[in-house]
Amino acid sequence: MNAAIYGSNGSKMNVLSKLWLASVFSLLPSYLYSAEVNGELKQWHTITLAFTGPHADEQAEENPFVDYDLSVRLVHRNSSQEMNVLGFFAADGKAAETSATAGNQWQVRFCPPKTGYWDYSATLRLNGREMELVGAKGSFFIAESDKSGADFRAQGLLECVGERYLKFAGSGKYFLKAGTDSPETLLGYHDFDGTWHDTKTHSFVAPQNPIQLPSLEQGLHRFTDHLRDWNDGDPTWQGGKGKGLIGGLNYLAEIGVNSVYFLTMNVHGDGRNVWPWTEPVAFDRFDVTKLDQWEIVFEHMQKLGLQLHVVLQETENDHLLDDGQLGPNRKRYLREMVARFAHHPAIVWNLGEENLQTVEQQQAMAAFIRSIDPYQHPIVIHNDHWAAKNLRDTFDPHLGTDTLDGTSIQDFNWNDIHGHVLHYVEASKQAGKPWVVCTDEMGGADFGLKTDEQDPDHDIPRSKGLWGNLMAGGAGVEWYFGWQNNSPHSDLSAETWRTREAMFRQTRIAIDFFNRYLPYNRMESADELTMASDDYCLALPGEIYCVYLPRGGNTRLNLIDEAGCYLVSWFNPRTGGELQTGSVRIMHGGRWEFIGAPPNDDGGDWVALIRRTEPIYTANTKGLIVVEAEHFSKQELDAIRRWYVFEKTGPLPDLAGAGEPTTWVRSIHSAASKASGSQFVRLLPDTRVTHDDPLIDGENFMNEPGKSAILSYSVHFPHAGRYFVWVRAFSTGTEDNSIHVGMDGDWPTSGQRMQWCEGKGQWTWACAQRTDKNHCGEPMQIYLDVSQPGLHAIQFSMREDGFAFDKFLLTQDIDYRPKGNDASETLWVQPE
């Protein structure tokens, strides 16, 4: 946008006012005269306050990076929110284009978190002495963002919110990372000014063998394969530079990547081609041109929806600055990174790759970043990898502290990923500060993630790395290409990201599945709910379950403590697509339940999505409504007596406290072989087995309906009228042979005291009501009058404990008599 000057009241100054100010400024000392407010003045966008101040030079004796300090205090006029934002020396204000090293421009970049008027006041200090600034106060108005889609300016600041996932302040959406770790030397790019491959070893640093990069021309990236991905209108600098890198970032965003990991300093490290200074060890002289060109790239990444994972150092140089301490060189480095780049909405500060600083040094570094970063971006750290204990050594001391917001876990053993993520999700929660647990460098230095040519299917990385992280409650992954990978496109030498396109696509499939189908921020890892030894389960018990089977097949899900019905759908994590139907469509609570086989059990991995539903039973072609007893939608008033589900092939229900004799349990368990669907329900505990046992009204006997142990079923009635109720029950003796039936919370006389006398020790149908004249029941006297067609709740409640029933049937035909299991199939429809 065009530069604009605003008065202290927020109104744009007229031309005469500007001319008057200009004449006054010409008579004033040459410190800081006025500010230009540049950029799209919208929420979450980059706003640059450009000040004209004292002339300086990168190499001047009066060092602009040491002797001067610029900051701006911004106050939101309506809410009084205050922010202090650091500024920096900007040479001529357009150094990315001019390669200028000197000038009188000083800038502050700001990401406004609120719409409305912001008032600002700038302060410039020279060697700690505050200087009088003329024209350093003003205001500007911020409108709502007009961006959409993946653009982070539409999503807002990516924040830590006290949960295990980062969350966008604008859209309220959670963020799952699907990133690339490689090349970590992303900024070792030929088109950046002042960038070269440094093979020298400086005297005050322990000698290290420089890693040669024979696949890179002069040790720098060019990304020529991605020139074709640059689009008209994309940014460049100095007459077309930057197209390879910009095009590569376009490709990554298009393929589904949303985070990029890169070093901002690798002096004496693996690549030796990235540093923010004019020289590799000129720690007090920053390369303004290079940093300005980095900003062009970073700004484009934010528009594409690519998180900036800024790795501030690596193991070879984490003691390069002040011997690892928080000294003047480290502070200056961190200050410059924050001042120039913290305004981006989605950025993560990584204290260092394979970090070997002491705990105290790590904590001091993190505390300093927090003290100067006005946006409080997340802070993480990357662990050393040489032994498993190093992972614990790196992270455990920071649990429950303010040092870290999450992990950047490295592990070379794919099989360990799930366990590591589980550990830190739970450990950080128990410590009082949940972490955002990510896994980054996985798979080892030799290969990491192999190329698509080397490993076309990526079965192990997908199942153990990607799904292993997500199903443990992790916040996502980034893919590492291996340091010694037998490929021209390894971690340091990668010139195209197309070599791992298959894995990037599979990662996007997983992230899209989580965002589309799962309330994952409310779900927890629950691997113990399934019987298979190597599957993963993420659950919100009673509502939704996600089961990942690395080799397909079948498993059981523990629904013993949950009521209702569950719809089973399947998802292919290799190919994506819509949900599919497997061998089991519906599951029911109250027991361990087989989830069935996937649609195509080809030995590959599958995901079962199991969601609570409310199946609505309706009339079949014979006009009968037939419902399995175990298909209840909910169970209520079960504190004294509870309905348990028994089945032929499954384990016995958990009858702890039910007071049930083991011999009888196993006897009726065998009766399930003759039950419809080999399943039935029984009311326990059963304390009145014979007529001689005590009858305790309100405990083991309920003559009044609707007072205890209510099962509900959703039934759609196509017609109003009278429906006779038949129930198939199992009675062992003189007791345990009656129940009540009602509808919509109403318990009519015609539904009370349903009774069985005949057919002891076997499954028997009945539609008879116990009366004073006939204790065995008057036939066809159990019915419900439906006044309106449509959806109603059919309910059964306890009369005698120990009652067991298999199914019930509703018919308007008074002459209909069911037989055996009854040939009429249950008919239900899934609600919209």
Side-chain angles (χ1 to χ4, degrees), residues 58 90-103 193 238 287-289:
E58 289 177 354
D92 65 353
K94 47 188 177 181
E97 293 293 336
T98 64
S99 296
T101 62
D193 279 18
Q238 297 186 357
D287 190 325
V288 175
T289 298

Side-chain angles (χ1 to χ4, degrees), residues 122-298:
T123 302
L124 181 68
R125 292 181 174 86
L126 174 61
N127 292 321
R129 178 170 54 88
E130 185 172 336
M131 304 176 68
E132 182 179 354
L133 301 177
V134 179
K137 295 183 178 181
S139 302
F140 51 86
F141 181 82
I142 296 298
E144 291 184 357
S145 176
D146 58 350
K147 302 303 182 283
S148 61
D151 191 327
F152 290 141
R153 296 173 299 174
Q155 304 290 329
L157 187 67
L158 189 56
E159 299 179 309
C160 289
V161 291
E163 302 179 47
R164 65 176 191 265
Y165 302 104
L166 300 178
K167 189 177 183 180
F168 288 106
S171 66
K173 296 179 180 178
Y174 290 93
F175 180 76
L176 288 174
K177 185 169 71 171
T180 178
D181 275 343
S182 301
E184 66 179 34
T185 55
L186 180 85
L187 300 180
Y189 178 52
H190 179 266
D191 285 357
F192 289 136
D193 279 18
T195 301
W196 69 88
H197 183 212
D198 178 31
T199 60
K200 293 185 295 183
T201 298
H202 300 274
S203 59
F204 60 91
V205 177
Q208 308 231 3
N209 295 323
I211 295 174
Q212 300 302 319
L213 304 173
S215 57
L216 297 182
E217 184 181 345
Q218 296 178 333
L220 297 179
H221 296 287
R222 283 166 171 75
F223 303 115
T224 55
D225 180 63
H226 290 295
L227 289 171
R228 52 180 155 157
D229 299 308
W230 185 88
N231 301 313
D232 289 341
D234 285 342
T236 60
W237 55 91
Q238 297 186 357
K241 289 184 178 181
K243 289 185 177 180
L245 177 53
I246 295 295
L249 297 170
N250 288 345
Y251 167 81
L252 288 174
E254 179 66 26
I255 210 70
V257 170
N258 63 15
S259 180
V260 178
Y261 170 114
F262 55 86
L263 288 159
T264 50
M265 190 269 286
N266 65 4
V267 175
H268 299 300
D270 291 343
R272 301 191 179 193
N273 52 12
V274 179
W275 52 85
W277 306 291
T278 56
E279 298 287 340
V281 293
F283 303 142
D284 62 349
R285 302 288 178 173
F286 290 86
D287 190 325
V288 175
T289 298
K290 179 193 299 183
L291 296 180
D292 215 23
Q293 291 165 354
W294 285 8
E295 171 61 15
I296 293 173
V297 174
F298 295 166

